[in-house]
Amino acid sequence: MMNSTTTRPAFPRRPRREGAAIHFGADYNPDQWPEATWEQDIALMRRAGVTVVTLPVFSWAHIQPGEDSWDFGWLDRIMDRLAQAGIDVDMATSTASPPAWLTSKHPEVLPVTRTGETLWPGGRQQWRPTSPVFRRYALELTRRMAERYAEHPALAAWHVSNELGCHNAYDYSEDAAAAFRDWLRRRYTTLEALNDAWGTAFWSQTYHRWEEILPPRLAASESNPSQLLDFRRFSSDALRDYLRAESEVLRAITPDVPITTNFMVMGDTAAMDYPGWDEDVDFVSNDHYLDPGPGGIDELAFSASLTSAIAKGRPWWLMEHATSAVNWRPVNPPKVPGELMRDSLTHLGHGADAICFFQWRASRAGAEKYHAALLPHAGEDSRLFRDVVALGKRLEELAEVAGSPALPARAAVVFDYESWWTLTQEFLPHTRLDYRGQALDWYRALVGAGLRVDVVSPRNNLAGYDLLVAPLLHIMPADLAERLRAAVAGGSHLVTTYFSGTVDEHDHVILGGYPGALRDLLGIRVEEFSPLLDGEAAALSEGATGRMWTEAVEVTAADVRVLRRYVLARGIDPGTPAVTRRPVGQGSATYVSTRLEGEDLAELVVELLASAGIGPDLPEPLRGQVIASARRGEAADYWTLTNRGNHDLGRAAAVAGMLGGVPLGGADSLGASDAVVVRVPRN
């Protein structure tokens, strides 16, 4: 794999526009429009306060219309116009989707599915991450773009490809097979080590030659789970290696220009292990699209917090979100008035130093023509464009927030991509565990208790948190188990759940009883899982109800306190512990053996916080009503309060006063679908 040796800038460049410190902009696709529209675009961008645009993301076919022909003229002209207007360019390398001439000449670059089907052109991302042929052409395009625009005054950052892995994360081609074997050789060195890691003695899968190993293509039955886990690791690493390859070219030619690529920390996007990717970009960028259903703003904040954790608390860019409706859901409702501002400020509150959208001008044709934009089909005389102008003005008023790092919270939810991967496999005690959904349930319960909450990766520093909630932390390498033990001994209060600590990094069961690696820390032991059938539930003490999963928990340490017991559950004796808490060192370790939801989970969270001596971060009128995030400035902290509901929470000045601060950015109130930024001086 390629590794950059050049020095990376600490942060992306600031825009050159007078008085602007927070970037504001969108993807811009001028090649989809007659040049006569460009001057109008730029004039309206200036009116809206746009400071940066990303171009030309999907323009390879326009830049290189044939293998031996190049046309940079149109791109030169729009770059010059943007520079004259004082608008920065986040320059994409245009490699996201190859042109038709390339895939016609080299169909071997096209991805292959698990069932052996070729994914043909006609959409986007029709390329194999491991294809040496594709990489040769893509890196040549990257090199030419870097050389041509290295000194251009509009160039502010490089944007590698686009949403790497969105449609081509898993490729099962011969290129992928060869690269997978190389990856395995580096990881295991010998076949003996690989066979042991994969448990290949089972089902006569032992490998005697490297050439026998294939990607987990469609098999007669369920594939080897350890092989599946490693293939997911490999696939994430293959995309990361491609990111590094383009970055090497860019850094060699423009070492002073920062590099990013847009992650997709949102919803069910699981293929990329992003917490390891931050080392390969100069600043993290993320794309996020609001879930329009109930609780969508909670999911947005959850994702924004995880993005901040991936960025190690440093400022990051929101590279894409939507001004209103998207185009790719079965039903695509528009955002209600106020949500455009609320969503943007919530990302800002979690560390975003750029608020950008897809896209500037809504397309007339193509698959995304019904996706909202800053300039909608209705044009500038529209509510949506007026809201865009208002957002641009608000971001200018919030300039002092830019550059400030995240202020760590006292509570954190631990989110692990590899545990997520294993819990989507077949042949589990329960195959509908919904890892991300359960992590989000705990996040909501903590927010409901009035806490400011971080979402972190196991790679982050865990020892600094008073409360660590790690639901379904299924994979437990020895070093992670030791870090959790050390955090608890040092004063952290750990809460974990059923099916946690169960397997090691190879997806091998940790023997001796569940929850495996956490058994001694928790002071409990479980002999057998008892997942619940559809429609079943378990009655617990304190009036609680357990769903989806139960366990007959045996207490093995004298200092364990039982917080909830089973009253009625299939196959479990009444009085059996269901939720336990054990004091350990300066902290404690709590185990929840069933899925609690709604008020039952909220009540347990309040009880656990009281036992740990952790009080709320918010005053009573705001507890549960807002999501709080914070950034640390030089002389003050900047809190963002996001209304979670549909009712007005009062005047902005009064709300800010509850925190000992003043509102920034011209907000009048914290109404429904609103967010307020508060400047809180530090004494």
Side-chain angles (χ1 to χ4, degrees):
M1 292 195 177
M2 306 174 72
N3 290 295
S4 174
T5 57
T6 54
T7 301
R8 302 184 304 164
F11 295 105
R13 292 180 185 172
R14 294 278 170 233
R16 286 171 290 277
R17 236 168 77 89
E18 184 68 25
I22 298 171
H23 267 305
F24 173 46
D27 281 26
Y28 183 35
N29 297 289
D31 47 320
Q32 296 179 13
W33 299 91
E35 285 199 32
T37 65
W38 294 1
E39 290 302 325
Q40 180 194 31
D41 282 336
I42 291 173
L44 290 174
M45 286 179 190
R46 289 175 62 86
R47 178 174 156 193
V50 166
T51 65
V52 66
V53 294
T54 297
L55 61 87
V57 175
F58 292 107
S59 300
W60 191 344
H62 287 176
I63 294 170
Q64 190 181 9
E67 182 170 7
D68 300 315
S69 59
W70 299 86
D71 180 9
F72 285 102
W74 66 274
L75 189 53
D76 292 345
R77 294 191 294 276
I78 191 61
M79 286 284 287
D80 291 346
R81 285 186 169 101
L82 291 166
Q84 291 165 6
I87 297 172
D88 286 352
V89 173
D90 169 51
M91 180 71 100
T93 55
S94 291
T95 55
S97 292
W101 62 261
L102 195 161
T103 52
S104 295
K105 181 176 181 178
H106 294 288
E108 68 271 22
V109 307
L110 297 170
V112 176
T113 69
R114 191 182 183 202
T115 57
E117 300 167 299
T118 297
L119 297 179
W120 295 98
R124 65 177 188 173
Q125 285 193 332
Q126 63 274 19
W127 54 278
R128 304 174 184 176
T130 59
S131 168
V133 174
F134 175 80
R135 187 171 294 199
R136 183 174 75 248
Y137 282 99
L139 295 187
E140 174 63 12
L141 172 61
T142 301
R143 181 186 67 79
R144 287 181 179 252
M145 293 190 71
E147 290 176 344
R148 190 171 191 93
Y149 298 108
E151 303 300 327
H152 199 284
L155 179 64
W158 287 111
H159 180 116
V160 171
S161 191
N162 186 72
E163 292 184 338
L164 286 164
C166 185
H167 305 288
N168 62 345
Y170 300 119
D171 170 46
Y172 300 83
S173 66
E174 287 304 311
D175 284 337
F180 187 35
R181 287 189 284 267
D182 288 343
W183 185 90
L184 292 169
R185 283 191 185 97
R186 290 191 296 272
R187 184 174 179 86
Y188 295 110
T189 306
T190 68
L191 281 170
E192 289 77 12
L194 178 140
N195 282 314
D196 180 66
W198 284 11
T200 56
F202 189 81
W203 281 356
S204 187
Q205 294 177 350
T206 303
Y207 296 102
H208 298 284
R209 295 186 306 117
W210 290 103
E211 292 73 23
E212 295 169 354
I213 302 172
L214 296 171
R217 294 166 177 161
L218 184 65
S221 65
E222 177 65 11
S223 296
N224 182 317
S226 300
Q227 178 190 14
L228 287 171
L229 177 58
D230 267 349
F231 185 71
R232 296 197 77 159
R233 289 170 171 151
F234 153 76
S235 298
S236 178
D237 282 354
L239 291 161
R240 183 181 177 186
D241 188 54
Y242 180 82
L243 166 62
R244 288 173 169 177
E246 281 202 22
S247 298
E248 283 287 341
V249 174
L250 297 170
R251 288 198 175 104
I253 299 169
T254 57
D256 63 327
V257 180
I259 297 171
T260 193
T261 191
N262 44 341
F263 298 169
M264 295 171 288
V265 181
M266 65 175 197
D268 59 359
T269 303
M272 287 66 68
D273 187 12
Y274 288 127
W277 288 34
D278 74 296
E279 300 172 0
D280 300 302
V281 293
D282 297 313
F283 61 101
V284 167
S285 297
N286 192 51
D287 294 355
H288 184 276
Y289 289 93
L290 178 75
D291 183 345
I297 190 60
D298 292 347
E299 191 284 325
L300 183 155
F302 180 99
S303 294
S305 183
L306 180 54
T307 304
S308 179
I310 293 168
K312 304 294 193 296
R314 297 185 296 267
W316 50 277
W317 280 26
L318 176 63
M319 193 63 77
E320 288 185 25
H321 72 310
T323 55
S324 191
V326 299
N327 65 291
W328 39 267
R329 293 189 174 101
V331 179
N332 295 292
K335 291 184 177 181
V336 302
E339 287 187 347
L340 166 61
M341 182 75 73
R342 178 202 67 183
D343 297 351
S344 299
L345 296 185
T346 303
H347 285 290
L348 174 75
H350 286 90
D353 261 12
I355 304 299
C356 300
F357 296 81
F358 179 84
Q359 58 178 325
W360 163 250
R361 180 185 283 269
S363 299
R364 292 185 302 173
E368 295 180 302
K369 61 181 177 290
Y370 294 119
H371 193 296
L374 273 73
L375 185 62
H377 292 143
E380 60 185 290
D381 185 15
S382 61
R383 177 191 64 82
L384 186 54
F385 187 71
R386 287 188 287 273
D387 287 349
V388 166
V389 173
L391 174 60
K393 184 175 186 298
R394 179 73 61 86
L395 294 177
E396 287 186 350
E397 294 168 344
L398 295 171
E400 67 179 89
V401 178
S404 55
L407 177 63
R410 294 180 298 155
V413 174
V414 181
F415 188 85
D416 178 37
Y417 278 82
E418 291 196 348
S419 290
W420 193 8
W421 294 345
T422 59
L423 296 179
T424 62
Q425 295 183 13
E426 298 297 323
F427 288 12
L428 298 175
H430 201 307
T431 59
R432 296 192 296 277
L433 290 176
D434 185 14
Y435 175 73
R436 198 175 197 273
Q438 294 200 38
L440 188 54
D441 283 349
W442 281 93
Y443 176 83
R444 286 191 173 112
L446 293 168
V447 168
L451 290 178
R452 190 165 56 83
V453 187
D454 290 345
V455 183
V456 299
S457 158
R459 289 185 175 91
N460 291 114
N461 178 19
L462 305 179
Y465 288 98
D466 294 338
L467 180 70
L468 285 169
V469 179
L472 289 170
L473 190 56
H474 186 60
I475 290 184
M476 189 65 62
D479 67 315
L480 176 57
E482 180 54 38
R483 289 171 58 218
L484 289 173
R485 283 191 288 268
V488 170
S492 295
H493 297 275
L494 173 68
V495 181
T496 191
T497 72
Y498 56 93
F499 219 29
S500 294
T502 308
V503 299
D504 65 14
E505 65 272 23
H506 302 303
D507 201 10
H508 293 191
V509 172
I510 298 170
L511 301 178
Y514 313 121
L518 298 176
R519 190 173 60 240
D520 293 340
L521 175 64
L522 293 160
I524 62 166
R525 184 172 180 267
V526 174
E527 293 185 8
E528 188 174 25
F529 301 130
S530 300
L532 298 177
L533 298 172
D534 291 348
E536 286 187 330
L540 276 61
S541 61
E542 315 302 322
T545 300
R547 304 185 188 280
M548 189 172 283
W549 191 285
T550 59
E551 293 171 350
V553 176
E554 174 192 357
V555 172
T556 60
D559 53 355
V560 170
R561 178 187 171 200
V562 178
L563 304 183
R564 302 284 187 278
R565 296 181 183 272
Y566 287 104
V567 175
L568 182 63
R570 179 173 52 83
I572 296 180
D573 292 337
T576 298
V579 180
T580 62
R581 181 177 185 270
R582 183 190 186 199
V584 180
Q586 299 301 309
S588 67
T590 296
Y591 186 69
V592 183
S593 68
T594 186
R595 181 169 186 174
L596 299 177
E597 299 174 318
E599 288 301 316
D600 293 334
L601 182 56
E603 290 174 6
L604 178 62
V605 163
V606 169
E607 184 176 334
L608 293 174
L609 292 173
S611 298
I614 301 172
D617 294 310
L618 294 172
E620 176 62 37
L622 300 179
R623 292 176 200 166
Q625 305 301 313
V626 303
I627 301 167
S629 56
R631 300 173 65 164
R632 170 134 291 191
E634 292 184 4
D637 295 332
Y638 302 102
W639 285 60
T640 298
L641 304 177
T642 300
N643 194 331
R644 302 174 72 202
N646 297 314
H647 56 281
D648 197 313
L649 296 177
R651 304 294 297 174
V655 170
M658 296 179 193
L659 299 178
V662 295
L664 289 181
D668 294 323
S669 67
L670 186 55
S673 302
D674 266 347
V676 172
V677 179
V678 179
R679 188 181 194 274
V680 182
R682 289 201 304 276
N683 297 325

